[in-house]
């Protein structure tokens, strides 16, 4: 009977990870983005593709055919692309061809590469070439978020680069609004364009909430008037990290359920010291609290709105220890909240960046030649975040999936031996019920619970749900270490401490008191309980 129950759970979990079809347009329902027609959840799991620098062309089209680049995005299970652009491309340079600009910039080799891989683009205007990219993304089934990244085509972002805030040298509010209207008009008929982001990373000495309310309100309403089907994405101040002023003065409209807020989160944007010189549990807890206080709060309260984490990213070569610490904290938080997001970045290189020819982008999903994935292991770890667990239209009861961010695995269950293991595919994760600290971790729809056996041993699933060995607590500041007491009253934490083995053990908990002198690494013991209600 137990085996049959578990088989049923596995089948149900497998079905819940299937791809759900959806139609356009999209809308918001509370804190979620949904299919307007069915009300079912649609998740934006994007990668950013830069098209806003001086050449005003989506990067990499000199390296590979457009359709091949887009195919790679699809193969890595992203659902959408955040495609950047510059205002001036639409307002000042809309009649310039790709060839004219490449010649002006003396990008001879870039031009030769495009002639080889995408020759039809050379005689197009920049706007036409941009549209060709949008068309190919739609042809291959990807959603598109159009992002107004800068006004003057250039690398972003400096606090004094003239593109930071309304009234700066290259940020005339009226021209910005005109550019938004031109974009909204041009792409109104393209249903793959599901959202328009009004402006990337507002910043600099001129920034202030008063002008933000004035111009963001005007821009949002203009876009909605021209294209009432598209989601309108709005970011805050301080490089897109701060929406806290909305606590005192809400924006006051939701554009007929089309308003989405945006926030960015890199290791350097929030408590940059958190990842090096203090206990990691404490640093992660402090950083996630700052993100919630400054932007995550919009998903709660009486009038919740979706939050799109429009940029995050790391050096994908995998050699930066600080990046690796940050990303595990980020992934745990994003899994808990089931956020929509966009990874910076797709591009493995640039045509021209800050005066340098063909510089590599180490944050890029693709390598410098655009022909392979730079770090397949990292992209595989993202697969859990690419799915969604929460659906406002679901009638299925709420449960949890245990996710291990350091490996990107989910906790699975061996029916033979009643042990648990790290499921690298996350296709058949076990659903758990947990009612908070001191409660058992129960396998959903069974009378079986997870029980500590001993230090260095694999915990077992048993019918004992009342002893101290079966009562689980979140024991550290990060709330990412799950522990129960052994027969001697000693806390033991779930631990996946080997990259070569799928076994999950219970070991002595690392730095759970967050003593400032404890700088050991607890990441192998980080597990998050991600809410699940999909049927």
């Amino acid at each position: 009977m137990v085996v049959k129950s578990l088989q049923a759970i596995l089948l149900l979990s497998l079905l819940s990870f299937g791809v759900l079809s959806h139609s356009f347009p999209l809308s918001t329902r509370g804190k979620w983005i949904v299919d307007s027609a069915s009300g079912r959840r649609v998740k934006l799991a994007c990668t950013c593709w830069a098209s806003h620098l001086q050449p005003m062309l989506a990067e990499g089209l000199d390296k590979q055919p457009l359709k091949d680049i887009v195919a790679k995005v699809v193969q890595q299970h992203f659902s959408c692309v955040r495609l950047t652009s510059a205002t001036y491309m639409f307002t000042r340079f809309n009649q310039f061809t790709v060839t004219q600009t490449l010649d002006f910039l003396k990008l001879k080799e870039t031009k030769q590469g495009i002639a080889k891989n995408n020759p039809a683009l050379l005689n197009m205007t920049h706007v036409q070439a941009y549209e060709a990219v949008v068309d190919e993304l739609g042809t291959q089934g990807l959603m598109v978020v159009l992002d107004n990244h800068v006004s003057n085509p250039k690398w972003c972002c400096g606090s004094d680069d003239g593109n930071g805030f309304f009234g700066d040298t290259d940020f005339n509010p009226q021209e910005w609004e005109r550019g938004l209207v031109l974009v909204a008009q041009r792409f109104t008929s393209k249903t793959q364009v599901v959202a328009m982001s009004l402006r990337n990373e507002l910043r600099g000495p001129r920034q202030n909430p008063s002008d933000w309310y004035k111009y963001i309100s005007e821009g949002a309403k203009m876009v909605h008037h021209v294209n009432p089907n598209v989601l309108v994405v709005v970011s805050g101040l301080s490089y897109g990290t701060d929406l806290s002023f909305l606590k005192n003065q809400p924006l006051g409209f939701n554009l007929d359920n089309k308003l989405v807020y945006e926030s960015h989160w890199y290791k350097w944007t929030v408590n940059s010291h958190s990842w090096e010189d203090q206990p990691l549990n404490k640093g992660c807890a402090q950083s996630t609290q700052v993100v919630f206080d400054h932007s995550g709060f919009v998903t709660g309260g009486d009038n919740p709105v979706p939050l799109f984490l429009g940029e995050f990213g790391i050096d994908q070569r995998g050699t930066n220890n600080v990046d690796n610490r940050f990303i595990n904290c980020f992934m745990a938080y994003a899994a808990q909240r089931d956020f929509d997001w966009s990874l910076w970045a797709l591009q493995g290189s640039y045509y021209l960046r800050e005066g340098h020819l063909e510089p590599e982008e180490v944050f890029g999903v693709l390598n410098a030649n655009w022909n392979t994935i730079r770090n397949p292991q990292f992209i595989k770890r993202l697969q859990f975040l690419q799915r969604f667990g929460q659906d406002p239209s679901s009638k299925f009861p709420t449960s949890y999936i245990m996710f291990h961010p350091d490996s990107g695995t989910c906790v699975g269950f061996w029916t033979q031996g009643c042990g648990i293991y790290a499921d690298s595919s996350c296709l058949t994760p076990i659903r758990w019920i947990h009612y908070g600290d001191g409660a058992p971790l129960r396998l959903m729809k069974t009378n079986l619970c997870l029980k500590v056996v001993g230090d260095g041993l694999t915990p077992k699933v048993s019918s004992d749900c009342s002893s101290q060995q079966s009562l689980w607590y979140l024991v550290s500041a990060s709330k990412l270490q799950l522990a129960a007491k052994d027969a001697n009253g000693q806390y033991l934490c779930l631990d996946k401490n080997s990259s070569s083995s799928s076994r999950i053990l219970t070991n002595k908990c690392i730095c759970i008191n967050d003593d400032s002198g404890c700088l050991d690494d607890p990441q192998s013991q980080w597990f998050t309980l991600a809410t699940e209600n999909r049927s």
Side-chain angles (χ1 to χ4, degrees):
M1 179 64 72
V2 170
V3 172
K4 287 184 178 179
S5 297
L6 291 171
Q7 287 173 339
I9 292 171
L10 291 175
L11 177 60
L12 186 60
S13 298
L14 179 60
L15 292 174
S16 76
F17 275 72
V19 177
L20 297 177
S21 61
H22 56 264
S23 58
F24 304 125
L26 306 182
S27 295
T28 65
R29 182 176 174 183
K31 64 179 180 178
W32 307 116
I33 294 171
V34 299
D35 179 326
S36 296
S38 68
R40 301 195 71 177
R41 176 84 187 277
V42 175
K43 186 163 186 175
L44 301 182
C46 313
T47 184
C48 300
W49 192 354
S51 187
H52 65 273
L53 279 77
Q54 282 178 284
M56 293 179 287
L57 183 68
E59 303 291 340
L61 297 174
D62 60 334
K63 305 293 186 183
Q64 300 292 329
L66 172 58
K67 63 180 179 60
D68 291 351
I69 295 174
V70 175
K72 287 182 173 63
V73 178
V74 175
Q75 289 161 7
Q76 301 311 309
H77 307 291
F78 293 101
S79 67
C80 63
V81 165
R82 177 178 177 256
L83 187 64
T84 69
S85 67
T87 298
Y88 291 176
M89 188 178 83
F90 292 92
T91 60
R92 301 188 184 188
F93 307 133
N94 57 318
Q95 296 302 313
F96 283 68
T97 67
V98 172
T99 289
Q100 287 175 319
T101 298
L102 295 179
D103 288 343
F104 176 78
L105 295 173
K106 297 181 171 57
L107 297 178
K108 181 180 179 180
E109 292 185 3
T110 298
K111 183 178 175 182
Q112 290 173 344
I114 294 173
K116 175 184 175 182
N117 290 296
N118 296 284
L121 298 179
L122 286 174
N123 292 324
M124 292 183 183
T125 66
H126 291 288
V127 174
Q128 289 170 336
Y130 188 80
E131 186 171 1
V133 174
V134 171
D135 287 344
E136 185 60 36
L137 292 167
T139 295
Q140 297 198 37
L142 291 166
M143 297 178 286
V144 182
V145 177
L146 301 180
D147 173 70
N148 178 255
H149 212 71
V150 289
S151 294
N152 189 10
K154 63 192 308 183
W155 176 248
C156 177
C157 301
S159 61
D160 59 353
D161 66 359
N163 284 265
F165 199 71
F166 306 105
D168 282 359
T169 303
D170 287 317
F171 200 165
N172 177 277
Q174 289 71 43
E175 185 171 8
W176 168 74
E177 290 173 354
R178 183 160 59 91
L180 291 177
V181 169
L182 289 171
V183 173
Q185 289 173 334
R186 187 166 191 106
F187 293 97
T188 296
S189 63
K190 298 185 184 297
T191 57
Q192 71 268 34
V193 176
V194 297
M196 281 183 58
S197 180
L198 297 187
R199 188 68 173 202
N200 176 71
E201 296 194 356
L202 293 165
R203 61 197 179 276
R206 298 180 62 93
Q207 66 177 342
N208 66 88
S210 179
D211 283 342
W212 185 92
Y213 283 105
K214 172 180 170 59
Y215 294 117
I216 290 296
S217 296
E218 290 177 2
K221 291 175 181 178
M222 285 180 177
V223 169
H224 183 61
H225 176 73
V226 174
N227 185 355
N229 288 325
V230 77
L231 298 172
V232 178
V233 184
V234 171
S235 64
L237 303 176
S238 301
Y239 288 85
T241 64
D242 188 7
L243 290 159
S244 61
F245 48 87
L246 291 171
K247 295 177 183 178
N248 297 322
Q249 184 184 343
L251 197 52
F253 55 81
N254 72 359
L255 304 176
D256 303 317
N257 296 316
K258 297 293 184 180
L259 180 66
V260 174
Y261 286 114
E262 179 178 355
S263 182
H264 293 181
W265 188 9
Y266 292 98
K267 66 181 181 184
W268 57 81
T269 57
V270 180
N271 285 6
S272 59
H273 64 283
S274 298
W275 317 110
E276 294 184 272
D277 57 1
Q278 64 176 317
L280 189 52
N281 281 318
K282 181 179 179 181
C284 180
Q286 289 177 343
S287 293
T288 53
Q289 188 62 52
V290 169
V291 171
F292 180 81
D293 289 343
H294 284 75
S295 57
F297 72 91
V298 302
T299 63
D302 295 333
N303 297 293
V305 178
L307 183 68
F308 176 53
L309 295 176
E311 283 188 27
F312 74 97
I314 59 168
D315 182 338
Q316 291 198 31
R317 293 173 296 183
T319 56
N320 188 307
N321 188 51
V322 176
D323 275 358
N324 297 336
R325 289 176 169 225
F326 156 75
I327 199 64
N328 285 341
C329 180
F330 172 92
M331 290 177 68
Y333 185 65
Q336 289 171 4
R337 302 282 177 170
D338 203 3
F339 284 126
D340 299 87
W341 50 265
S342 185
L343 173 69
W344 186 272
L346 174 65
Q347 62 270 7
S349 63
Y350 299 91
Y351 307 121
L352 177 68
R353 173 178 157 178
E354 298 176 293
H356 299 286
L357 294 173
E358 305 250 339
E360 185 174 7
E361 173 56 272
V362 297
F363 278 46
V365 170
L366 299 176
N367 68 351
N369 292 323
W370 291 68
N371 57 359
T372 61
I373 304 302
R374 184 184 301 276
N375 188 340
Q377 183 179 5
F378 173 70
I379 300 302
K380 187 174 182 179
R381 285 173 57 199
L382 284 180
Q383 287 184 3
F384 185 77
L385 299 186
Q386 290 173 326
R387 64 181 294 282
F388 66 84
Q390 300 179 61
D391 184 349
S393 69
S394 174
K395 304 300 182 184
F396 198 75
T398 297
S399 59
Y400 294 103
I401 292 174
M402 278 193 281
F403 174 64
H404 186 251
D406 190 45
S407 62
T409 59
C410 301
V411 174
F413 174 72
W414 278 311
T415 55
Q416 301 298 322
C418 294
I420 61 171
Y421 71 99
D423 178 5
S424 61
S425 69
C426 275
L427 288 177
T428 55
I430 292 296
R431 297 188 182 193
W432 303 85
I433 301 297
H434 188 241
Y435 294 115
D437 278 352
L441 268 168
R442 189 186 302 271
L443 276 173
M444 188 177 181
K445 295 187 176 181
T446 76
N447 62 351
L448 302 176
C449 298
L450 190 64
K451 181 180 180 179
V452 164
V453 175
D455 191 3
L457 301 177
T458 299
K460 302 296 184 181
V461 173
S462 81
S463 58
D464 175 10
C465 295
S466 59
S467 72
Q468 69 174 7
Q469 293 163 264
S470 300
L471 305 180
W472 293 84
Y473 300 81
L474 296 168
V475 291
S476 61
S478 66
K479 303 297 183 185
L480 295 177
Q481 283 165 280
L482 276 164
K485 294 179 180 178
D486 64 13
N488 299 317
Q490 174 72 40
Y491 273 126
L492 296 178
C493 284
L494 293 179
D495 196 337
K496 185 186 181 307
N497 61 5
S498 171
S499 60
S500 61
S501 172
S502 63
R503 292 184 68 200
I504 295 174
L505 311 176
T506 51
N507 289 319
K508 181 180 178 181
C509 299
I510 300 171
C511 295
I512 60 173
N513 296 318
D514 291 292
D515 182 347
S516 60
C518 185
L519 299 179
D520 293 336
D521 189 347
Q523 291 176 95
S524 67
Q525 296 183 350
W526 278 4
F527 290 81
T528 191
L529 293 174
T531 304
E532 181 86 2
N533 76 340
R534 279 178 57 172
S535 56

